[in-house]
Amino acid sequence: MKFFIKTYGCQMNVNDSEKMGDILKKRGFSAADDENDADIIIINSCAVREKPQEKIFSFAGRLPKGKKIIVAGCVAQSEKQKILERNPNIDYIVGTHQYYQIDRIADEILAQKSKGDRGVKAQFSKVWQEAVPDIASRISRVSGYISIMEGCDNFCSYCIVPFTRGREKHRPFENIMAEAEYLATAGYKEIILLGQNVNSWEDKEKNMEFPDLLERLSAAPAVDVKWIRFITSYPGYYDEQLIEVMARHEKIARNIHFPVQSGSTRVLKKMNRSYTRAQYLDIVRRFKKKIPDITFSSDFIVGFPGETENDFELTLSLLEKVEYENIFSFLYSPRRFTSAFKLKDDITPEIKKQRLYRLQELQKNIQFKNNKTLLGKTIEVLVTGPHPKAAGEVIGRTVNYRVVNFKSDTPVGEFTRVLIERVGPYSLRAKEHAARAPYCRTLAPG
Ligand code: SAH
Ligand code: SF4
Ligand code: F3S
């Protein structure tokens, strides 16, 4: 019997799909190349905005008849039984904390002659559920995901995640360390620590907080990887210890995803974010002072209820101050269960779209300006994969998480040095160096 997993949403969902695939393989199922080739299709869903939520229904609606369909993940958790009203062909709904039962569920629905219990299994667990996928079940042989916490206690007023992932659960230190060692021994070059709110991680028994975890992973000889990354950190508090640990260990990659959402303190307050514009800028300034080659990326929501032109211009000016490496920007999407849902979604779609366009245009100019300063520089990159469209080309990533395209036969997972030859706002083109030329480690602007 074969399965296929279609994954929507964030890296945590990707990692959960790796875990589900691994559990199914251990039960004797094999992975299909696509949905047509599979007996069971698992849709690992995302509920964060309406668009990704709708995608799961259009995907499920297009599936060939006779397949067993399971909806897992965040929409399964938030919508539960309601999903069946939209698509009665769905065989099973499994919440975010029940994925580890996927083997039993798969057996059960394959044995069913008619659609019986659709088993909405969607209760939250209070404890961390351990599941470490084997290497063969991971999507990358180069960058390995390690979930360190799940859930969120912040309740930002627009966000459904606390209702799809539950309260925070933190994984014990030993288990994180063991997975990091496992990946390093298997030859992984980079580990990426995952969580909705990684910098609130703690191991109470060990009296450890997130900077202690980074310190221990970076200093452990057995975690012989080149780069350690983490996503996502909440910029709600200033943490000198985190900055110091990062400054001390070159292994910790010089890019932080630090989602600000808005540049207006008034809007941040309505979003229930716990920091002001000035506090956010102060944290960024302190990072840059101690770690001059650090770069930042961020998420932005435009058109939050009541966002004025003045609020929006504050977001634009924040963009110019921080000079982000990269941003992800979204139109505000009202979500059921959240406290902002009862606010009037009063910014018209036209204004929302215009603001999104202006934000993205400004970022494009900032990136283009920064990229031009990189022309003629030599930089170290990790080859992460072949270029999906251009034969003979590969994609590499810098320590600042920038994508570089170049011709090369350097194997995936190896490091090489490239000379930046051409730049656009969104991409860097380079030529590979034959010799081990001296290089700049980071691509911080300036
Ligand atoms: N834990 C992360 C964010 C997870 S959700 C953090 O706190 O930053 C990923 C991104 O989706 C958010 O940063 C936000 O920009 C966006 N997002 C979340 N809810 C949204 C909504 N209702 N409408 C539009 N964008 C939203
Ligand atoms: Fe959502 Fe806020 Fe938690 Fe991020 S910190 S997951 S935006 S509630
Ligand atoms: Fe989406 Fe759930 Fe991640 S809502 S962004 S898949 S935590």
Side-chain angles (χ1 to χ4, degrees):
M1 285 288 169
K2 286 186 167 180
F3 69 88
F4 179 74
I5 306 180
K6 177 81 180 169
T7 309
Y8 295 94
C10 62
Q11 289 91 341
M12 183 146 276
N13 255 19
V14 175
N15 191 222
D16 284 353
S17 290
E18 294 177 331
K19 293 174 187 175
M20 286 192 281
D22 192 59
I23 292 166
L24 287 170
K25 283 185 196 163
K26 285 175 179 151
R27 186 71 142 223
F29 290 86
S30 55
D33 293 335
D34 57 34
E35 60 270 29
N36 299 311
D37 183 36
D39 304 289
I40 294 192
I41 295 151
I42 299 161
I43 305 173
N44 197 6
S45 60
C46 172
V48 78
R49 287 171 298 277
E50 196 179 342
K51 244 192 191 160
Q53 171 148 330
E54 283 307 303
K55 279 188 192 161
I56 71 151
F57 291 106
S58 53
F59 178 76
R62 287 196 307 270
L63 289 175
K65 290 256 163 324
K67 308 282 182 192
K68 299 286 185 185
I69 308 170
I70 299 175
V71 178
C74 289
V75 182
Q77 185 69 46
S78 59
E79 296 299 316
K80 303 187 182 78
Q81 206 81 36
K82 274 183 175 287
I83 292 174
L84 300 176
E85 291 166 20
R86 294 276 303 270
N87 187 333
N89 288 328
I90 286 162
D91 293 274
Y92 217 93
I93 292 159
V94 48
T96 48
H97 290 188
Q98 282 76 38
Y99 67 83
Y100 61 91
Q101 299 175 25
I102 198 75
D103 48 355
R104 191 192 51 70
I105 294 168
D107 282 347
E108 200 179 295
I109 60 170
L110 282 170
Q112 274 172 4
K113 292 272 174 289
S114 60
K115 294 197 192 301
D117 166 27
R118 313 288 182 89
V120 182
K121 302 285 187 247
Q123 63 276 39
F124 287 128
S125 157
K126 286 203 172 74
V127 290
W128 179 264
Q129 186 64 45
E130 200 63 38
V132 178
D134 285 350
I135 302 302
S137 300
R138 295 183 183 250
I139 55 153
S140 166
R141 297 285 175 278
V142 181
S143 308
Y145 289 134
I146 304 181
S147 293
I148 65 163
M149 57 89 63
E150 181 182 12
C152 186
D153 297 346
N154 285 344
F155 290 93
C156 302
S157 66
Y158 52 82
C159 183
I160 200 168
V161 171
F163 304 93
T164 67
R165 294 278 175 178
R167 299 293 73 69
E168 289 184 7
K169 286 153 288 288
H170 299 181
R171 188 177 181 195
F173 166 70
E174 270 96 4
N175 302 7
I176 298 172
M177 185 57 115
E179 189 169 353
E181 288 177 8
Y182 171 64
L183 291 173
T185 309
Y188 278 75
K189 297 297 184 330
E190 160 177 271
I191 54 174
I192 306 179
L193 309 178
L194 295 181
Q196 271 79 36
N197 203 0
V198 285
N199 50 345
S200 80
W201 177 89
E202 59 181 353
D203 184 326
K204 280 206 173 104
E205 269 178 33
K206 294 259 169 339
N207 198 19
M208 287 174 75
E209 293 188 345
F210 184 61
D212 305 311
L213 173 66
L214 278 182
E215 174 74 46
R216 294 288 291 274
L217 289 172
S218 308
V223 185
D224 184 21
V225 295
K226 182 130 172 174
W227 294 335
I228 299 175
R229 301 186 187 280
F230 50 90
I231 33 180
T232 297
S233 10
Y234 181 75
Y237 47 85
Y238 170 59
D239 188 342
E240 184 70 42
Q241 202 200 340
L242 177 62
I243 299 178
E244 274 168 15
V245 170
M246 287 187 70
R248 211 165 30 243
H249 293 282
E250 285 218 323
K251 244 187 192 180
I252 306 174
R254 270 33 188 157
N255 175 263
I256 301 193
H257 188 60
F258 220 36
V260 66
Q261 314 297 353
S262 166
S264 156
T265 299
R266 204 183 70 88
V267 174
L268 288 171
K269 200 155 185 249
K270 287 169 75 175
M271 288 177 163
N272 197 29
R273 302 288 280 188
S274 66
Y275 51 91
T276 62
R277 169 194 174 90
Q279 282 166 336
Y280 180 88
L281 285 172
D282 186 51
I283 299 174
V284 167
R285 190 182 57 75
R286 286 167 191 262
F287 264 105
K288 285 185 173 174
K289 195 165 164 220
K290 278 260 167 68
I291 313 169
D293 55 359
I294 198 153
T295 59
F296 292 88
S297 58
S298 180
D299 296 342
F300 290 88
I301 297 177
V302 301
F304 187 77
E307 182 190 68
T308 62
E309 175 61 22
N310 184 46
D311 291 321
F312 177 65
E313 281 171 12
L314 284 165
T315 297
L316 296 180
S317 84
L318 185 107
L319 223 66
E320 282 179 318
K321 277 191 189 312
V322 180
E323 295 208 336
Y324 291 102
E325 182 86 357
N326 186 20
I327 66 163
F328 301 90
S329 46
F330 310 103
L331 302 175
Y332 170 67
S333 171
R335 304 312 286 140
R336 216 150 63 84
F337 311 110
T338 65
S339 65
F341 191 65
K342 56 183 184 300
L343 301 176
K344 192 159 176 277
D345 185 16
D346 57 352
I347 312 297
T348 64
E350 291 70 34
I351 293 181
K352 276 188 190 170
K353 279 186 201 149
Q354 267 176 24
R355 287 184 184 164
L356 189 70
Y357 177 78
R358 286 164 64 195
L359 183 77
Q360 290 175 346
E361 279 299 296
L362 176 60
Q363 177 62 18
K364 184 174 156 188
N365 293 338
I366 292 170
Q367 282 179 207
F368 200 23
K369 190 182 103 209
N370 285 343
N371 285 354
K372 283 184 197 153
T373 68
L374 307 173
L375 279 168
K377 286 193 177 166
T378 295
I379 182 88
E380 185 179 44
V381 292
L382 171 62
V383 179
T384 52
H387 195 288
K389 290 186 193 130
E393 294 216 353
V394 296
I395 294 178
R397 276 198 184 272
T398 70
V399 71
N400 302 94
Y401 217 52
R402 290 293 302 276
V403 174
V404 187
N405 299 309
F406 55 101
K407 278 206 174 63
S408 170
D409 47 21
T410 300
V412 170
E414 295 292 319
F415 287 86
T416 186
R417 291 168 189 194
V418 297
L419 174 74
I420 307 292
E421 285 193 323
R422 257 187 304 143
V423 300
Y426 303 114
S427 63
L428 302 173
R429 275 212 65 81
K431 194 172 96 187
E432 192 168 18
H433 269 291
R436 291 184 66 74
Y439 68 101
C440 16
R441 206 176 84 88
T442 64
L443 282 183

